[in-house]
Amino acid sequence: MMSIRSKIGFIISIGCLITLFSFSENDQNTRKYRYTAHLGCMDNDISTLGKESFDSLISLPLCGKDSSHTVFPIQGFDIIYAERGLYQDSAGLPIIFTDYTTMQCTGNTLSKNWVDLFKERSYKGDTVFIENIKVLGSDNKSYQAKALKIIIK
C-alpha cells in the first residue's frame, strides 16, 4: 500500500509531465503536408528573391502540388507583409521597425491593388509570408499546404 507521501509525489510528477508536454512547441517544419504551394507554379526554392524577381512573381498565381508534382487548385490563402522601415525614437536616434499588414485572399492570386502595393513599396529586407494555404485535393477536400516565406534581398 502506498503512503500518502508517495501518492502526493506521484500526483505532482504526473502534473509536471502534463505541464511539460502541454507547453512543448509544435514546429511547423515537423508537420507533414500532403501538398506544397508554389508561387508562379515554379518548383524551385524561392525563399529569397531579388526585388525584380519578386515583383514579377508576386502577380502570378499560386498552385498546389503533391509529391508527384500534379498541380491542384488553390482555394485561398493569407498574406502577411512585414515591411521594414527606418524611424526615429523619442531621442531622435534611428531605429528599424517592422510594420505588418495582412490580407485574406480567395482564389489563387493577389488582387491588383496588392500587386501594385508590392511593386511600389517592397524593398530589400522586407518579408512576405503566405500562410493558411488551402489546396483543393483530388478528393475535393480542402487541405492545408506548407506556408511560404519570401525574403526580398
Side-chain angles (χ1 to χ4, degrees), residues 19-38:
T19 304
L20 176 71
F21 288 113
S22 66
F23 289 109
S24 65
E25 225 176 272
N26 184 9
D27 190 11
Q28 183 179 3
N29 295 334
T30 61
R31 183 176 176 182
K32 300 291 183 202
Y33 292 96
R34 182 178 289 190
Y35 298 96
T36 56
H38 300 272

Side-chain angles (χ1 to χ4, degrees), residues 2-19:
M2 293 177 71
S3 69
I4 295 199
R5 184 177 274 176
S6 299
K7 289 179 184 178
I8 291 174
F10 179 73
I11 292 172
I12 290 174
S13 299
I14 295 296
C16 289
L17 285 173
I18 290 171
T19 304

Side-chain angles (χ1 to χ4, degrees), residues 27-136:
D27 190 11
Q28 183 179 3
N29 295 334
T30 61
R31 183 176 176 182
K32 300 291 183 202
Y33 292 96
R34 182 178 289 190
Y35 298 96
T36 56
H38 300 272
L39 189 59
C41 292
M42 299 175 68
D43 284 333
N44 56 351
D45 179 28
I46 57 167
S47 57
T48 59
L49 287 173
K51 168 80 170 126
E52 297 80 23
S53 299
F54 174 78
D55 287 346
S56 65
L57 285 175
I58 198 64
S59 60
L60 298 176
L62 281 171
C63 68
K65 293 185 180 183
D66 64 5
S67 59
S68 63
H69 298 286
T70 306
V71 177
F72 292 93
I74 299 289
Q75 297 176 307
F77 58 94
D78 296 340
I79 191 155
I80 302 167
Y81 176 41
E83 181 180 15
R84 293 172 47 123
L86 186 61
Y87 297 93
Q88 290 183 351
D89 65 6
S90 59
L93 299 173
I95 58 170
I96 296 175
F97 190 78
T98 305
D99 291 320
Y100 292 92
T101 308
T102 63
M103 180 182 170
Q104 289 182 333
C105 301
T106 55
N108 63 352
T109 56
L110 282 171
S111 68
K112 183 178 178 338
N113 292 341
W114 269 76
V115 171
D116 292 343
L117 170 91
F118 281 128
K119 288 182 179 179
E120 178 185 319
R121 296 187 61 171
S122 62
Y123 191 71
K124 183 171 116 176
D126 292 349
T127 306
V128 176
F129 301 92
I130 303 174
E131 299 180 337
N132 299 321
I133 305 166
K134 304 293 185 217
V135 178
L136 183 63

